[in-house]
Amino acid sequence: LAKTTQPISMDSYEGQEVNITCSHNNIATNDYITWYQQFPSQGPRFIIQGYKTKVTNEVASLFIPADRKSSTLSLPRVSLSDTAVYYCLVGEVQLGAAGNKLTFGGGTRVLVKP
Amino acid sequence: GAVVSQHPSRVICKSGTSVKIECRSLDFQATTMFWYRQFPKQSLMLMATSNEGSKATYEQGVEKDKFLINHASLTLSTLTVTSAHPEDSSFYICSAPRPPKGATWNTEAFFGQGTRLTVV
């Protein structure tokens, strides 16, 4: 499973765009990149998933360069409620099959200030 | 709405007793579920992979006899912390990958709400 490296923490202000970059130099051909958000005392919540180029949904965008050795989660116009820990995970999309499992790295603690 | 339900959300037990935590997939069948524990200010640590109809696969350093896992049906996995001690106090989280839907071919992992275990 490709190891991921993220900044430990980031501060931002309401209304700003927050970009979190994750390094995954050993990503394999079959690996997808998934980002989760976790609030205190809650389970992680799926944000976005991608394989290459750019993916956008109603809450975030995910930018993946051609070499796929990194990815950037972009949160547009953050609010106080976006204060959370964000995890970047890399692994086989067919979880559970052939022993594929979901392991977490350190995550990035994002603090949104008023 | 939640697609993976975990119960209880909070439990306090006496040292030496056992505690059972349930994880249910609500609208899909999960042949595999994952169990994690999380200490304050730390990331999630994978404890074991629960496999329906067969033995769980434990991560290195996790005691099988301490953390009993049963995955008796396609929608339910249980984690029993046996003979709990204060050092077992933690936040336990389960996850179930949902099979691909429609045109997608990748699974998506859903997480339970977590269980805060306090052993006194």
Side-chain angles (χ1 to χ4, degrees):
Chain A
L1 192 67
K3 182 179 178 181
T4 60
T5 303
Q6 304 174 233
I8 294 174
S9 64
M10 295 179 69
D11 288 358
S12 184
Y13 290 91
E14 282 191 290
Q16 290 188 336
E17 179 182 80
V18 172
N19 296 305
I20 309 171
T21 297
C22 177
S23 297
H24 28 80
N25 293 316
N26 298 322
I27 191 169
T29 302
N30 293 334
D31 286 342
Y32 259 65
I33 300 158
T34 311
W35 285 79
Y36 286 87
Q37 175 192 55
Q38 186 184 27
F39 297 114
S41 297
Q42 293 186 28
R45 183 177 72 100
F46 173 90
I47 299 176
I48 198 166
Q49 184 180 69
Y51 184 80
K52 62 180 179 180
T53 62
K54 177 183 176 181
V55 180
T56 298
N57 60 23
E58 61 276 9
V59 298
S61 294
L62 179 59
F63 299 91
I64 306 169
D67 65 4
R68 303 201 327 123
K69 293 183 182 300
S70 67
S71 61
T72 299
L73 173 72
S74 180
L75 306 172
R77 298 178 300 281
V78 295
S79 63
L80 296 177
S81 62
D82 292 317
T83 292
V85 179
Y86 293 82
Y87 293 97
C88 161
L89 280 76
V90 173
E92 274 273 4
V93 294
Q94 297 299 326
L95 295 173
N100 296 326
K101 50 193 178 183
L102 201 61
T103 56
F104 285 74
T108 298
R109 192 171 297 273
V110 173
L111 173 63
V112 180
K113 302 176 182 178
Chain B
V3 296
V4 173
S5 178
Q6 190 173 337
H7 178 80
S9 58
R10 188 179 295 269
V11 59
I12 301 174
C13 71
K14 291 185 177 180
S15 187
T17 61
S18 295
V19 174
K20 179 185 286 188
I21 302 170
E22 294 186 348
C23 182
R24 295 180 184 273
S25 56
L26 299 181
D27 62 354
F28 63 96
Q29 294 182 335
T31 57
T32 300
M33 290 187 180
F34 302 104
W35 286 97
Y36 300 83
R37 67 187 297 181
Q38 185 176 33
F39 292 109
K41 304 289 187 182
Q42 295 187 22
S43 183
L44 285 76
M45 184 192 78
L46 181 64
M47 299 174 65
T49 302
S50 173
N51 304 299
E52 188 271 333
S54 65
K55 292 182 179 180
T57 304
Y58 290 82
E59 296 300 303
Q60 190 174 8
V62 178
E63 299 178 58
K64 301 178 183 181
D65 296 331
K66 174 75 171 176
F67 300 99
L68 300 179
I69 291 174
N70 186 306
H71 196 150
S73 78
L74 288 171
T75 59
L76 173 64
S77 175
T78 61
L79 168 68
T80 301
V81 182
T82 63
S83 187
H85 288 95
E87 57 265 31
D88 298 322
S89 297
S90 188
F91 191 56
Y92 292 87
I93 308 169
C94 71
S95 173
R98 185 176 67 186
K101 293 179 68 176
T104 63
W105 61 279
N106 52 291
T107 58
E108 181 180 330
F110 290 90
F111 288 81
Q113 305 94 316
T115 298
R116 174 75 58 194
L117 170 63
T118 303
V119 184
V120 298

